[in-house]
Amino acid sequence: IALVFLACWFVWFVVGLMHADYLTASDAVARPWNGTLLIAFLVAMFWHGQLGLQVIIEDYVHSAGLAVLAQIAVRFVCILGALASVFAVVIIALWN
């Protein structure tokens, strides 16, 4: 449910920055509410993606070993993507 509201906010945020330059966009991300909501959106998005891929793997991968390996790989990539995204937002927020 949180992802629905965060996705609506994200679309509104991106549309508002459509014709903005880099400095304006980075200033907008550096604002505390925008940065916090962006981090919440990124974490929820990666979590949702991981859960969706987990269901797909459970439904379509019939080899137990390959299923476990795929689950670990998906979880690793999602955690790595979430950490990199959150780190990027924090760097933008701290450097402005």
Side-chain angles (χ1 to χ4, degrees), residues 1 3 7 10 13-14 24 28 32-34 36 40 42 49 52 58 61-62 68 71 74 76-77 91-93:
I1 293 174
L3 195 53
F10 183 72
F13 182 68
V14 170
T24 304
W33 278 107
N34 289 339
T36 303
L42 290 166
E58 289 170 355
V61 179
H62 301 294
V68 169
Q71 294 283 5
V74 165
F76 175 75
V77 169
I91 291 297
I92 290 171

Side-chain angles (χ1 to χ4, degrees), residues 4 6 8 13 20 29 31-32 44-45 47 61 68 76 84-85 93:
V4 171
L6 289 170
C8 290
F13 182 68
V29 171
R31 292 188 189 124
M45 181 189 64
W47 187 2
V61 179
V68 169
F76 175 75
S85 300

Side-chain angles (χ1 to χ4, degrees), residues 16-27:
L17 293 174
M18 193 173 304
H19 297 291
D21 61 347
Y22 175 78
L23 290 176
T24 304
S26 63
D27 285 343

Side-chain angles (χ1 to χ4, degrees), residues 3 5 12 16-17 21 25 28 30-32 35 40 43 46 51 62 69 86-87 90:
L3 195 53
F5 297 112
W12 172 79
L17 293 174
D21 61 347
R31 292 188 189 124
V43 170
F46 276 105
L51 290 175
H62 301 294
L69 184 65
V86 169
F87 181 70
V90 169

